[in-house]
Amino acid sequence: MDSESLRLAAPAPKVSASPAASPDAELVAFYRRHRLSLVRFAVLLVGDQETAEDVVQDVFVRLHSKWRPGVTTVAYVRTCVLNGSRSILRRRAVALRRVEPVADLADSAETAVLIGESRREVLRALARLPRRQREALVMRHYLDLSDAEIAEAMRVRQSTVRSMTARALARLLRELGDNA
């Protein structure tokens, strides 16, 4: 057989769908679209950007094997970030119980320049809130989620969400009013 007949007899190579349609490409696109807002959400829960980035990255690493294009929602991933943040906070609480408290460390000069005093005070007051109140408040006012979406993420009733956010706001106003 000559090369011409071999080429005609060989089956044509299968053309796969475009790379953008692959599950990995869709996950990458989802990551690029939502990473920043998820990191910001986690920062408000855990208190620092490095840990927040780790939480979001861990969620996406675990999500990679479970990724179902068109089925996995932002709400599901947000709940995963919330749970990952809770785990970090639990580990921190255990670690803090085992060591003696250290005097409050001052921020570096660069940080003090970048972050205004009023913003730092609001973040400190937010950090002093009970965990669930802080979570509800962040999801309501930072992520602009509805009561139903917050209730789903926190696995509580909508009335509980409304109660937690009202109590959290009242406490923040008291604390920030005393410091003003």
Side-chain angles (χ1 to χ4, degrees):
M1 286 177 125
D2 64 336
S3 62
E4 181 68 28
S5 59
L6 281 177
R7 201 171 352 133
L8 293 175
K14 292 183 179 178
V15 178
S16 63
S18 69
S22 76
D24 285 347
E26 289 184 29
L27 178 61
V28 169
F30 185 89
Y31 176 81
R32 287 182 177 150
R33 209 171 29 253
H34 299 289
R35 181 186 95 49
L36 186 59
S37 66
L38 291 169
V39 168
R40 288 177 176 164
F41 171 53
V43 164
L44 292 169
L45 297 175
V46 298
D48 68 284
Q49 184 165 348
E50 294 80 17
T51 304
E53 289 173 350
D54 288 345
V55 167
V56 172
Q57 190 67 32
D58 289 346
V59 166
F60 275 95
V61 166
R62 284 189 306 258
L63 189 61
H64 183 264
S65 64
K66 299 174 186 173
W67 179 250
R68 293 175 35 203
V71 177
T72 305
T73 63
V74 176
Y76 173 76
V77 176
R78 190 180 302 120
T79 301
C80 293
V81 170
L82 175 65
N83 290 334
S85 299
R86 286 176 176 170
S87 294
I88 293 293
L89 294 172
R90 274 193 302 272
R91 277 182 252 152
R92 283 182 183 171
V94 168
L96 286 175
R97 278 186 241 133
R98 294 185 178 160
V99 296
E100 293 186 31
V102 178
D104 191 30
L105 301 175
D107 289 334
S108 68
E110 294 84 12
T111 304
V113 169
L114 294 173
I115 302 173
E117 183 58 36
S118 61
R119 180 173 175 219
R120 280 188 296 197
E121 188 55 39
V122 169
L123 289 174
R124 282 188 208 116
L126 189 61
R128 288 190 296 265
L129 288 174
R131 176 183 57 89
R132 294 178 60 78
Q133 286 182 7
R134 180 177 56 248
E135 292 168 355
L137 202 60
V138 166
M139 285 191 266
R140 163 66 53 76
H141 295 285
Y142 181 74
L143 296 177
D144 199 29
L145 299 181
S146 69
D147 290 343
E149 292 168 319
I150 297 169
E152 180 183 346
M154 295 181 74
R155 296 186 176 113
V156 297
R157 285 185 255 136
Q158 291 182 39
S159 59
T160 305
V161 169
R162 288 188 294 273
S163 172
M164 282 190 289
T165 54
R167 288 180 182 154
L169 279 175
R171 184 169 172 179
L172 275 179
L173 289 173
R174 274 194 317 270
E175 286 192 26
L176 294 174
D178 292 344
N179 294 332

